[in-house]
Amino acid sequence: MENWHLSRNVPIALFLALVVQAVSVSGAFTKVEVGVAENAKDIVALNQSVLFLDDRQREHEVRLARMDENIIHIRELLESQQ
């Protein structure tokens, strides 16, 4: 079996085109990786916001429950006075 070698009949433009394609593909992969990293940061920030809002919602639910209990006691008090 003969060793592989480059023939002089192959134009250099073909090799330049292959090099340009390789650089383009690697650039595209780099952009994808950067986009994934940015999305990961955004997801972490959104997760923190959601956790904060959940805590606030729980606080509001507790306050509303206390208000409901107070209203019930006031109503009972007013009904007993009549």
Side-chain angles (χ1 to χ4, degrees), residues 40-51:
K41 290 177 186 176
D42 291 343
I43 289 171
V44 169
L46 286 174
N47 189 27
Q48 291 173 349
S49 296
V50 167
L51 291 175

Side-chain angles (χ1 to χ4, degrees), residues 4-67:
W4 185 87
H5 64 281
L6 182 61
S7 172
R8 292 183 186 252
N9 295 335
V10 178
I12 195 161
L14 177 65
F15 287 107
L16 289 176
L18 291 174
V19 168
V20 168
Q21 289 294 322
V23 169
S24 297
V25 168
S26 66
F29 283 133
T30 301
K31 287 181 184 178
V32 169
E33 289 176 6
V34 168
V36 168
E38 289 175 358
N39 286 342
K41 290 177 186 176
D42 291 343
I43 289 171
V44 169
L46 286 174
N47 189 27
Q48 291 173 349
S49 296
V50 167
L51 291 175
F52 174 75
L53 291 174
D54 282 345
D55 289 342
R56 293 288 306 257
Q57 180 185 1
R58 285 188 196 105
E59 291 172 7
H60 288 170
E61 288 174 354
V62 168
R63 287 180 184 172
L64 285 174
R66 287 178 183 162
M67 291 168 79

